[in-house]
Amino acid sequence: MASTQESGTGQVQIRFTTKQEQYAVPDLPFAVPAGINSNELNVLLNELLKEGRSDITSVDFDFLVCGEFLRQPLNDLLEERNVSFEDVIDVEYVEQHPTPEPMDCLMHDDWVSAVHVRNGWILTGCYDNTLHIWSKTGTHHLTIPGHSGPVKAVAWVSLTPTVGSFVSVSHDQTAMLWKWNIEDNSVDCIHVCRGHERSLECVSVNHNSTLMATGGWDTLLKIWTTSMLDTSSAASHSTGDSDETEIKRAKVESNSKSHIKTPIMTLKGHKEAISSVVWTDNQELATSSWDHTLRLWDAELGGIKSEIAGNKSFFDMSHSSLNRTVITASADRHIRLYDLRSTEGSLVKSTFTSHSQWVQSVKWSTTDEHLFISGAHDSQVLLWDSRSPKAPLFNLEGHEDKVMCVDWSNPRYMVSGGADKTVRIFKSRHAPSKNGTEGEKEEL
C-alpha cells in the first residue's frame, strides 16, 4: 500500500454521503482509482443516481473529503491530510453552487469606493465626493453632494417604505447622517459627525441600528449614536435653521442645515490607520488596521478584549454572524480566515489564494456560513466557499480596473465597485432568504 500511496496508482474505497436526501445513493463502499478527480466522481455518482430512477437528470456536484472540496486528485488530498489509503474514505457530495447571473452595470463619474445594499436599494460613494442611490434594477434615483473629500464608506442605518437613513464617511474627516424621504425623493443631512482629526476609512452600524462606529487615519475608533433627534450632550446645537429642506437633486447645505454630532466614546489602541470596523454584536466590535493587527473591543465598557497580530497590513475584514469567524483582505494577495475567540492551534484557520494583486475588500454571505466574495486590485471579484481554499467557485467578471469595494448584504445580490467607475451586480440564483422572500422584496 505504501507504493500505491506514493504513486497514486491502485484503488481506494470510498463511501458517498450527502445531506441532500433527494440525491441519496446506497450507503455502500465503492472501489475507485486512488487518483480519481471530481469530474470522474461526478460521472460515477450520476450513474448511481440514474439506476432505477427516471426522474433524475445529470446534476453537477462538489465533493467534500476531510472537510475540503476536492480540487485535485483524491490521492494528493489524502497524502496532504495523512489519511490512510486503507481506510474507507467518506466522500460527502453537495449540488454545485449555480453560476451567478450578471445583471446591471451602474455607471458613475469617478472611482466607486463604497457600496451597501439594503433590500432593493443600492447606496454608493465615490471619489468625486458624491453619494448615489440606485434601485436594484439599475435606475438612478439621487446624486448627493455634501462631502468635501472622497467618500470611503457608506452604511444604511434604517429603511422603511417611506423613509430611509444612512451614514457616509469621507477623507474630509467627517461622517454624515442622512435622512431620505422616499416618497418625494429628497434627502437632508441631519448630522455632521466631527471628532476625527484625519481621513476616515470605515463605518459600521450595530445590529439594532442604535450605534455606529467609525475609524480612519487618526488610529482612533469612535462610537456615535445614530439618533436623528439627538441634540443632547452627545451633539451640539444646530448651527442654523433645523427645518429640513426639500431637495430633488440632493442640494445639501450641510453647514447651515445640520446639527454637529460628537462621539459618545473614543477607543485608542491601534498604531496605524483603522481600515475596517464591524459590529460582532450590539456591544462588541472588531477592527482591522494597517498596523498588522485585528482587535476585539468592548463597546459597553470601552476597552480592548483581545488582539491578533498578522504579518501584513489589513485592508478589510468581514464578520459572519453564522459561523462567528472573520475573513481579512491584505497586501499580500491572500484572504485569511480567523477565529477571533480561538485559544487552541493556529489563529489562521484557512488561507485562500487566487488573486494576483492586493485584496481590497471581502464580504461574507448573510445566509450561507461557507460563502463569501472578494475584490482585488487585479480587477477580479471572486465567489468563494470556505471549504475550497485552493480555488474560488466563480470569477464574477466585468471590472476593467481595480476593485475597491464589495457587498453581499442582500442575499440575492453580489455587488462590487471599482476604479473603472462602475458598480457591477450579480444575482445569486439560489440564495435562501428570511421568510423565503427577502431577496425578492419589491423596492421600498
Side-chain angles (χ1 to χ4, degrees), residues 21 44 49 52 58-59 61 71 94 106 163 179 186 202 205 226-227 236 241 271 277 298 332 347 349 354 400 428:
E21 294 183 3
L44 172 59
L49 284 170
S58 291
V59 181
F61 294 98
R71 299 291 190 238
V94 297
L106 312 182
V163 177
K179 182 178 180 181
S186 65
C202 54
V205 177
T226 59
S227 171
S236 61
D241 183 4
K271 306 274 191 305
V277 58
D298 188 321
D332 60 0
L347 296 174
K349 301 304 180 183
S354 182
E400 299 176 353
S428 177

Side-chain angles (χ1 to χ4, degrees), residues 357-378:
Q357 296 183 40
W358 286 7
V359 185
Q360 187 64 42
S361 187
V362 288
K363 188 72 174 182
W364 277 110
S365 165
T366 58
T367 55
D368 190 311
E369 64 177 331
H370 300 296
L371 299 180
F372 65 90
I373 56 176
S374 62
H377 284 198
D378 58 10

